[in-house]
Amino acid sequence: MKIPYKHLLLLVFLYFTTVFFVGCVDTSVNPIPDRIDYSSQMKVVNLATGAGSATLTLDGQSLGAVSFGGEIPGSGSGFLTIPSGSRNLVAAFDNGQSKTFRFSAATEYKFRAFLVGASTNPSLILVNQRYTWQSKDSENGQQLFPADTAWVSIFNGSPDIVINSVEIGTELNEFETALETGKNSVYLKHAAGNVTVTIAYNDSLSLSFDYTLSARNRYTVALYDAAAQLKYAVLLDD
């Protein structure tokens, strides 16, 4: 079948127009980054009741041992940078129990992995804190680190309590839904300085301690162990 000359020119024009528009990308609105950082930052906290210390291995690489109530890397060290995506964490406890946890590390997130529950069947709870690029002295992190201000989050790592409220200084924060095991609160804003922290749990009990909150720092207060010998740990997030 013979195609008329005018129709042939139209087909050629449409072909090259389509190729041109498919090959063009508007980068003025959403610039294409030079590099995507497929990594995450993490610490592991051992709050598994009755299990003792835990020797940790991440994807076949030893992280060392972490005591009950402690974290790895320790309080004096920064968060561990790991590849994002599917990861395997093996925890071998002093009581002879060993368990493998499979989890997914979200890209460009900073988080803690909490070992919680009874020693016979502990669980791994991930708590994301912020994006890795929202650092303290960066433009993206300015809103997270205001001057003269600290932020506090509460984490329940005890197997047999629920947390009803927390009072920081004179500011009372009652949780609409009590924090069960493995649950955490949002970050609560408070002026920096010396404060008394009082955490109410199981409707009628409380735990109190004094602490100095530093300006532009973020903290997680973790409760752990059984209610009869409840303990706390103040973890520095930033």
Side-chain angles (χ1 to χ4, degrees):
M1 176 180 176
K2 188 173 182 180
I3 301 176
Y5 180 74
K6 290 183 178 180
H7 288 179
L8 181 61
L9 286 178
L10 179 60
L11 289 173
V12 172
F13 173 79
L14 289 175
Y15 170 79
F16 283 105
T17 302
T18 301
V19 170
F20 173 80
F21 281 108
V22 169
C24 291
V25 178
D26 182 7
T27 62
S28 62
V29 178
N30 294 309
I32 298 174
D34 294 332
R35 179 178 62 87
I36 298 176
D37 188 6
Y38 293 105
S39 66
S40 310
Q41 296 176 0
M42 73 174 292
K43 284 193 175 188
V44 183
V45 187
N46 176 21
L47 305 181
T49 304
S53 296
T55 299
L56 305 177
T57 304
L58 181 66
D59 295 331
Q61 184 173 6
S62 175
L63 299 182
V66 55
S67 61
F68 179 49
E71 66 177 352
I72 197 168
S75 58
S77 302
F79 280 58
L80 180 69
T81 299
I82 64 171
S84 301
S86 181
R87 309 262 68 87
N88 290 322
L89 178 70
V90 179
F93 297 99
D94 283 350
N95 66 356
Q97 297 285 335
S98 181
K99 189 171 181 179
T100 299
F101 302 94
R102 293 176 175 83
F103 68 94
S104 180
T107 299
E108 295 187 328
Y109 266 99
K110 183 178 184 180
F111 66 94
R112 273 194 177 88
F114 292 89
L115 294 166
V116 300
S119 61
T120 53
N121 189 28
S123 301
L124 187 72
I125 305 295
L126 304 186
V127 178
N128 289 329
Q129 297 175 356
R130 62 169 174 82
Y131 286 109
T132 55
W133 39 264
Q134 292 175 309
S135 56
K136 185 177 292 187
D137 296 316
S138 70
E139 182 178 351
N140 292 317
Q142 287 181 357
Q143 292 184 346
L144 300 183
F145 304 99
D148 304 320
T149 303
W151 298 87
V152 179
S153 176
I154 309 299
F155 179 84
N156 184 6
S158 170
D160 59 354
I161 73 166
V162 294
I163 299 175
N164 306 109
S165 66
V166 58
E167 186 174 9
I168 305 173
T170 59
E171 296 181 13
L172 177 63
N173 299 273
E174 295 181 319
F175 302 126
E176 184 174 345
T177 301
L179 302 180
E180 299 178 345
T181 303
K183 300 297 183 181
N184 64 289
S185 74
V186 298
Y187 278 101
L188 306 170
K189 186 177 181 180
H190 197 277
N194 299 322
V195 295
T196 297
V197 179
T198 301
I199 301 174
Y201 63 96
N202 288 359
D203 297 327
S204 60
L205 302 174
S206 65
L207 178 151
S208 295
F209 61 91
D210 295 327
Y211 197 81
T212 300
L213 299 175
S214 297
R216 302 181 72 226
N217 278 4
R218 286 153 54 98
Y219 304 88
T220 293
V221 177
L223 299 192
Y224 65 100
D225 211 345
Q229 56 263 1
L230 191 64
K231 300 177 179 64
Y232 73 91
V234 180
L235 308 174
L236 180 62
D237 301 342
D238 290 289

